[in-house]
Amino acid sequence: MGKRKSRAKPPPKKRMDKLDTVFSCPFCNHGTSVECRIDMKNLIGEASCRICQESFSTTVTALTEPIDIYSEWIDECERVNNLDDEGAEA
């Protein structure tokens, strides 16, 4: 008589790395000075610099992470800079 086959253990689950919640400021370039806060009650996300007091607010969803708010701030800064560059050339 043969031995019963044992059931294979499932592979261990991979853990997701934590995303950053503090970033460098696009205005004063101070590292780890921008902190992102998400207010799910009012659906508002805010990124603010502790050094130069610059801030950015945007609407959030249930899936929004702090990196998303910071990325939107950077994108908005680049958009405004591009508008200024086009206005200066004309």
Side-chain angles (χ1 to χ4, degrees):
M1 292 192 59
K3 185 178 175 185
R4 284 191 184 177
K5 291 186 178 180
S6 63
R7 196 176 239 217
K9 289 186 178 181
K13 294 184 179 180
K14 294 180 182 177
R15 283 193 287 153
M16 293 284 290
D17 292 333
K18 294 275 187 176
L19 296 174
D20 289 338
T21 57
V22 290
F23 310 95
S24 62
C25 179
F27 294 98
C28 67
N29 289 328
H30 195 274
T32 68
S33 64
V34 174
E35 185 176 49
C36 295
R37 289 184 296 280
I38 300 175
D39 182 7
M40 289 306 294
K41 184 177 180 183
N42 297 322
L43 297 177
I44 294 176
E46 182 182 23
S48 59
C49 178
R50 292 181 294 230
I51 306 301
C52 65
Q53 307 301 317
E54 285 291 331
S55 65
F56 173 77
S57 296
T58 186
T59 57
V60 297
T61 65
L63 301 176
T64 303
E65 295 288 331
I67 186 71
D68 299 324
I69 298 169
Y70 180 73
S71 297
E72 282 186 36
W73 189 14
I74 297 299
D75 293 343
E76 187 67 19
C77 290
E78 289 178 357
R79 187 185 68 79
V80 169
N81 285 339
N82 288 339
L83 289 177
D84 289 346
D85 289 346
E86 289 173 5
E89 291 174 5

